[in-house]
Amino acid sequence: MKKMRILSWNVNGIRAIQKKGFIDWLLTEDPDILCLQETKAAPEQLSEELLNINGYKSYFSSSIVKKGYSGVAIYTKQEPIKVEHGFGIPKFDDEGRIVVAEYKEFVLINIYYPNGKKNEERLQYKMDFYEAFLDYSNKLVKKGKKLVICGDVNTAHKEIDLARPKENSKVSGFLPIEREWLDKFFSHNYHDTFRMFNDEPENYSWWDQVTRARDRNVGWRIDYFFVSDNFKKNVK
DNA sequence: TCCATGCACAC
DNA sequence: CAGGATGCG
DNA sequence: GTGTGCATGGACCGCATCCTG
């Protein structure tokens, strides 16, 4: 299989980053596949330039329950065999959190997992989403598919994965139940690809912008690339 | 996230 | 239609 | 009285949308 480079980015508004030079950035960075989360836009709100970037096919999934909310996208050089927009469960598909692109060599799953901070209901929704996702991915593996899963998981797994573990042990994003679900997920033979190559602390993917936490690297590692066991050997 | 505040406790 | 308020993260 | 630990509350930024005048 030829070498491919896949990137993942929670953009917090694709129209906002377009104004800050996103298209030039993508053409310079030149990945084979780019996965975006929190695009906060429906395709019909997007400009022609954003829909058709030179050399890429694009696929969007957007929320049908709330305008300007959630949303994910894939930009891909190679056209997938098939693209889907959910697990087949309306409750989880309707917020525009899922894009699945099937290629000959693997299935790419780009997900913006729910945030559980708002209230108890949303935390439960997040946990239910996790379970539905695990069901979905396990079924694909059982069918012999090789999975590459990426996105904003909204949970740090271990103490090493955030700067303030003690202070956040009762905050959604580092709750015992959320961390235990990740334990369970990995016990089904999926791998956290970053940790295949790096076991150092202070490697984060998200920082609170309210407190300018990035300046001090007070962050969390909540964005991941996972692979199923049958694809592990392909990860470089 | 960080700071201020209030409260309980130990020494 | 600019600007403030709100929802969400 | 002073130190430490824990709990609570408020300000804080950015994007997109909605409301108001």
Side-chain angles (χ1 to χ4, degrees), chain A residues 34-203:
Chain A
L34 173 67
C35 296
L36 304 181
Q37 303 91 37
E38 283 206 84
T39 48
K40 297 190 172 187
E44 51 274 22
Q45 295 175 296
L46 298 180
S47 65
E48 206 53 40
E49 301 83 69
L50 223 35
L51 292 169
N52 302 304
I53 297 182
N54 196 13
Y56 290 92
K57 302 279 290 180
S58 65
Y59 302 90
F60 296 84
S61 182
S62 59
S63 172
I64 60 170
V65 299
K66 200 177 301 198
K67 223 177 151 186
Y69 177 69
S70 191
V72 290
I74 290 179
Y75 286 92
T76 174
K77 287 185 177 177
Q78 189 185 323
E79 186 170 354
I81 298 162
K82 181 167 79 173
V83 175
E84 288 179 349
H85 300 271
F87 302 146
I89 304 171
K91 182 182 176 190
F92 301 121
D93 301 348
D94 290 355
E95 291 191 1
R97 300 177 171 278
I98 305 157
V99 187
V100 181
E102 179 159 3
Y103 297 88
K104 183 157 179 290
E105 311 278 4
F106 61 93
V107 177
L108 175 72
I109 306 177
N110 175 27
I111 300 187
Y112 172 44
Y113 296 80
N115 186 304
K117 281 200 168 98
K118 193 189 167 200
N119 56 40
E120 199 58 41
E121 286 74 16
R122 290 304 290 177
L123 176 60
Q124 190 57 53
Y125 179 81
K126 177 182 184 179
M127 299 311 299
D128 295 344
F129 187 103
Y130 277 160
E131 286 305 320
F133 157 72
L134 183 53
D135 246 35
Y136 177 82
S137 59
N138 279 345
K139 278 178 187 150
L140 288 178
V141 171
K142 204 164 286 177
K143 279 198 261 178
K145 306 290 186 188
K146 299 170 180 180
L147 307 187
V148 175
I149 301 149
C150 72
D152 179 348
V153 178
N154 265 318
T155 298
H157 186 207
K158 303 206 165 140
E159 297 213 346
I160 192 179
D161 296 313
L162 71 166
R164 303 270 185 272
K166 303 219 165 39
E167 295 86 333
N168 288 293
S169 61
K170 292 179 178 170
V171 174
S172 176
F174 197 57
L175 293 175
I177 47 164
E178 298 170 323
R179 302 174 60 194
E180 281 158 17
W181 180 80
L182 279 174
D183 289 338
K184 175 176 168 181
F185 174 64
F186 293 127
S187 78
H188 280 78
N189 249 324
Y190 297 91
H191 305 280
D192 177 349
T193 60
F194 182 81
R195 289 296 180 217
M196 289 164 53
F197 304 100
N198 186 316
D199 54 9
E200 298 299 316
E202 294 176 27
N203 287 111

